[in-house]
Amino acid sequence: MRHYIKVELLRMLRNKRYVIFVVAFPVGFYLLYANLWGAEADQTTGLRGSVLLMVSMAAYGALAAAMMSTAVPWSQERHSGWLRQLQITPLPGRAIIATKLVSSLLLVLPSLLLVGLAAVLTQHVTLSPLRWVELILAMWAGTIPFAALGLAIGSLLPPDTAQPVAMIGMFGLALLGGLWFPESIMPAAMRSIAHLTPSYDYASIGWRIAAGQAPHAADAAGILVWGVALVALALVAYRRATART
Amino acid sequence: MNAIAFTEVTKRYGDVLAVDGIDLEIPAGATVALLGPNGAGKSTSINMLLGLLRPTSGEIRVFGEPPDRAVAAGDVGAMLQEGELIPELTVAETVDFVRRLYPRPLPMEEILRVADLTDIAGRRADRLSGGQTQRVRFALAIAGGPRLLLLDEPTAAMDVESRRTFWDNMRAYAARGRTILFATHYLEEADENADRVVVIARGRVVADGSAAEIKASVASQAVSFLLGEQPVAGLDALPGTTGVELQGGRVTLRTTDLDATVAALYRKTTLDIRDLQLHGADLEDAFLALTKET
């Protein structure tokens, strides 16, 4: 299974779509936005723009990585016959989905770390070592619901619909979660929807940690509930997609 | 020991009975062709042997075990009909990944050599031709060194030259005492590459034996001549005769023993026989006779 994970990582790192959306986008936009608004302070969190944007863009990159590395590749493997190829080897079925999830979590790391690195190098963002560790661990673990959502999409839909659904889901969650624009400028109705999304909970936990505050209980509870629900959905969908009749 | 045993196996998809009571035993070490027209139940049978499909009733054993367990033990390798590779991985990476999933894999160099891939080992899967992709899929089927190799119409996408090379490679693999079952609708492939041919049609085994036995078992040999106004009665009683057809004054006798039928025609009848024609058996005729809709 370790070799299987290695192979999964290798192929995604060679995938142009992954590299562009997941690695180049968040870092590029961070550099752009931080130059424009990096010095301003955010009213709600009190964070400097360069720190707030670091969390937002890292959150976007991680969310995108979690969904891009799962939904479409997995749907394609099911339809192209690669899943069958694996099913007729001694590899147990549960190892396939476990590997997909673990690989996806590893593929989240480049965007998290590179955006952080860009923030340190270009905007001279400084956090205490403990704060860095907390932030990265929280933002890493927080991608589990999105990876699960991607796997569920890949299990339920054929590749040509999984692709737009994953894209809309990814950008929709990023927008509603306030990763691109602060939720404080959203209209009231949209804001109340935004607060229900896992992406808002996810980013909000990151902002709080970066500001040196404990995350809101509501955000932690929100992402936990989403996590349990989406992992359960992913497992049910996986079982359905691989059922032998 | 039997590599494969089907006991009264059926498989139903809704209203369609794809496999209708197959009993079949294949001893270890045999190379067997599963011959039949499209929709005969070949792929369904192979998918059941791999545990990808479950029989509706009956039982399948692979080396005495249920298919799932034989697959998990690494005893089975297969080349299924469709199947793409991971586009971003090279041939060598793909083959190496799959061989590591098995407990007793073949050495990497041997797989590449047997599947004729040594020259393109470093090429990415999305840059392979159709024939090259088929070779990689064959490599994946043998990578684990399985005791049982299942091939579902393996040469479907190949040109004549690749086909010949493919069967040479397959025979090299079979030569080491391994069991091979391949599905095909090409009679020639069955005749040339298998020591036993199982003909299936409409989900049933309709003939089972060597290619020669199958030819002989079917009354595909025939003698015909102009009968004119003479009576047809009694011709069906001639030795070997299995059927009599009369069409526009010409009668055709289907027979399992051409020599005996012709001899009796001259010695035991007083008919005036004109324009006698003999039709020998070939596997094509046998196949059509066995698999035609009744």
Side-chain angles (χ1 to χ4, degrees):
Chain A
M1 183 156 148
R2 223 177 54 212
H3 193 73
Y4 185 15
I5 293 173
K6 206 178 97 188
V7 161
E8 285 286 314
L9 299 184
L10 194 62
R11 65 173 287 214
M12 284 313 291
L13 293 175
R14 286 183 191 159
N15 182 308
K16 288 195 192 78
R17 196 179 295 149
Y18 166 81
V19 173
I20 291 170
F21 276 98
V22 168
V23 184
F25 259 45
V27 174
F29 277 104
Y30 177 74
L31 295 176
L32 178 69
Y33 287 170
N35 266 316
L36 296 174
W37 301 297
E40 291 176 21
D42 179 64
Q43 289 139 9
T44 9
T45 52
L47 282 174
R48 200 156 63 92
S50 55
V51 181
L52 178 100
L53 285 165
M54 171 182 82
V55 173
S56 303
M57 287 300 109
Y60 158 71
L63 186 158
M67 290 185 67
M68 299 292 284
S69 64
T70 47
V72 176
W74 171 232
S75 178
Q76 274 167 349
E77 284 172 35
R78 285 195 307 117
H79 281 258
S80 73
W82 182 252
L83 168 64
R84 286 186 145 210
Q85 186 74 53
L86 294 179
Q87 282 179 324
I88 58 175
T89 69
L91 187 70
R94 58 184 183 283
I96 300 177
I97 188 162
T99 302
K100 289 272 156 201
L101 189 62
V102 171
S103 312
S104 168
L105 292 180
L106 292 175
L107 287 162
V108 154
L109 285 175
S111 11
L112 281 184
L113 298 177
L114 287 174
V115 173
L117 193 67
V120 171
L121 293 180
T122 66
Q123 298 292 322
H124 314 289
V125 168
T126 47
L127 298 178
S128 70
L130 180 68
R131 186 89 31 89
W132 275 119
V133 171
E134 285 173 351
L135 182 64
I136 288 169
L137 283 182
M139 295 198 71
W140 192 20
T143 53
I144 291 175
F146 307 112
L149 176 61
L151 284 174
I153 292 172
S155 286
L156 294 172
L157 302 175
D160 49 347
T161 35
Q163 165 95 35
V165 168
M167 282 289 214
I168 292 167
M170 176 184 101
F171 283 116
L173 282 171
L175 279 175
L176 279 175
L179 306 186
W180 289 105
F181 311 102
E183 44 92 41
S184 51
I185 66 165
M186 292 180 191
M190 196 172 158
R191 198 185 312 163
S192 47
I193 298 173
H195 286 187
L196 296 174
T197 62
S199 45
Y200 174 77
D201 295 333
Y202 174 59
S204 173
I205 290 172
W207 291 320
R208 296 279 294 184
I209 293 176
Q213 296 156 328
H216 289 300
D219 295 335
I223 201 143
L224 204 67
V225 169
W226 273 110
V228 171
L230 289 171
V231 168
L233 175 68
L235 289 175
V236 171
Y238 176 79
R239 188 159 297 184
R240 216 190 71 152
T242 56
R244 300 171 185 207
T245 51
Chain B
M1 181 167 62
N2 279 323
I4 294 174
F6 277 68
T7 315
E8 292 171 31
V9 173
T10 68
K11 177 67 185 178
R12 182 182 284 283
Y13 299 109
D15 286 343
V16 182
L17 201 53
V19 170
D20 184 12
I22 288 188
D23 280 290
L24 182 65
E25 290 189 348
I26 294 176
T31 297
V32 177
L34 200 57
L35 178 64
N38 289 331
K42 304 188 297 288
S43 292
T44 302
S45 300
I46 286 185
N47 283 325
M48 287 194 291
L49 270 171
L50 287 162
L52 291 171
L53 292 174
R54 309 246 180 259
T56 305
S57 67
E59 194 181 71
I60 297 178
R61 287 287 176 270
V62 177
F63 298 113
E65 303 262 7
D68 293 357
R69 234 190 275 169
V71 168
D75 284 332
V76 190
M79 185 170 166
L80 297 173
Q81 267 194 37
E82 90 269 18
E84 290 166 31
L85 306 168
I86 297 286
E88 296 95 357
L89 295 182
T90 66
V91 170
E93 284 163 354
T94 309
V95 172
D96 190 45
F97 163 54
V98 169
R99 72 180 273 282
R100 282 166 185 267
L101 298 172
Y102 287 83
R104 300 167 299 275
L106 295 183
M108 190 67 185
E109 308 78 63
E110 188 180 340
I111 302 169
L112 294 178
R113 184 168 43 77
V114 171
D116 208 1
L117 292 170
T118 311
D119 293 343
I120 53 166
R123 197 170 296 180
R124 264 175 60 156
D126 52 6
R127 310 226 167 89
L128 298 176
S129 72
Q132 290 168 333
T133 304
Q134 289 289 87
R135 266 144 61 195
V136 176
R137 296 181 52 236
F138 178 68
L140 299 183
I142 63 168
R147 291 195 279 164
L148 171 63
L149 183 61
L150 302 170
L151 307 165
D152 194 359
E153 304 201 5
T155 60
M158 294 183 192
D159 58 31
V160 179
E161 183 58 32
S162 337
R163 235 172 239 190
R164 189 165 25 236
T165 324
F166 176 83
W167 290 115
D168 289 344
N169 297 341
M170 193 280 295
R171 275 196 297 267
Y173 191 77
R176 283 170 263 176
R178 292 173 173 123
T179 313
I180 297 185
L181 177 69
F182 66 91
T184 182
H185 55 247
Y186 297 111
L187 304 154
E188 269 189 322
E189 287 191 344
D191 201 0
E192 287 167 14
N193 301 296
D195 16 83
R196 177 174 158 200
V197 180
V198 175
V199 184
I200 66 172
R202 299 174 302 279
R204 293 171 162 278
V205 174
V206 292
D208 185 350
S210 69
E213 284 165 358
I214 286 176
K215 287 178 211 169
S217 74
V218 183
S220 59
Q221 304 177 93
V223 50
S224 74
F225 56 94
L226 282 176
L227 190 65
E229 299 299 312
Q230 304 173 83
V232 74
L235 287 177
D236 56 348
L238 293 175
T241 305
T242 56
V244 179
E245 291 158 29
L246 189 62
Q247 200 172 25
R250 173 169 281 273
V251 71
T252 303
L253 306 179
R254 301 236 155 242
T255 172
T256 54
D257 189 342
L258 196 56
D259 294 335
T261 306
V262 173
L265 203 52
Y266 284 102
R267 287 187 198 137
K268 297 194 178 159
T269 72
T270 54
L271 296 169
D272 177 22
I273 294 166
R274 293 189 187 185
D275 190 22
L276 184 84
Q277 290 175 7
L278 300 180
H279 308 277
D282 62 17
L283 199 55
E284 185 81 37
D285 290 336
F287 179 62
L288 289 175
L290 285 166
T291 59
K292 77 173 175 212
E293 297 287 338
T294 45

